[in-house]
Amino acid sequence: LEKNEQFIILLLIFTFSFSLIMSFYHFGIEQGIFKESPICGINDASNTISKEEILKQLQAKPISCKDVTFKFFGFSLTTFNMMISLIIVIILIKIFKNYEKFKK
């Protein structure tokens, strides 16, 4: 059971680290630090049948990933995700490092 608990903590660290990286990347796109991916302009990929349709949607580019549509206290949801993920990763790393102390 102890090894499973440690594995779950490591899995959570990996998951929230990935979330942190992805939200940092999206934050960078919002701030103009990184160039946005062409996929950001695709309207609805589930209905796209041909590559010609994809090219048409990419050329139209109606929505940009750097356009923030909702802010809370002046911050985008990406910013909140990045901060929360960072806090959770730090807490989980501390729990993992001090696992022997916590299990008692």
Side-chain angles (χ1 to χ4, degrees):
L1 184 63
E2 290 176 18
K3 294 207 183 225
N4 287 341
E5 289 174 354
Q6 287 180 315
F7 175 75
I8 290 171
I9 294 170
L10 281 175
L11 186 62
L12 287 171
I13 290 171
F14 174 75
T15 302
F16 282 100
S17 294
F18 183 74
S19 173
L20 176 63
I21 291 166
M22 293 305 295
S23 58
F24 177 74
Y25 175 69
H26 195 204
F27 177 78
I29 290 173
E30 288 176 356
Q31 300 301 315
I33 298 169
F34 304 120
K35 187 177 178 185
E36 64 183 315
S37 169
I39 198 75
C40 292
I42 293 179
N43 290 333
D44 185 9
S46 63
N47 293 333
T48 305
I49 299 172
S50 66
K51 62 183 176 182
E52 290 81 17
E53 283 290 320
I54 294 173
L55 288 173
K56 285 180 189 176
Q57 287 185 8
L58 286 173
Q59 290 171 348
K61 202 172 186 180
I63 299 173
S64 172
C65 288
K66 61 173 111 175
D67 296 336
V68 178
T69 56
F70 180 76
K71 288 188 176 187
F72 189 68
F73 294 119
F75 296 106
S76 69
L77 296 180
T78 302
T79 307
F80 283 109
N81 185 18
M82 190 171 60
M83 291 187 294
I84 291 169
S85 294
L86 178 63
I87 290 167
I88 291 173
V89 166
I90 291 170
I91 291 169
L92 287 169
I93 289 172
K94 286 184 179 188
I95 289 172
F96 186 77
K97 283 184 173 182
N98 298 318
Y99 181 76
E100 297 300 320
K101 293 178 189 175
F102 283 115
K103 75 174 189 173
K104 291 180 181 181

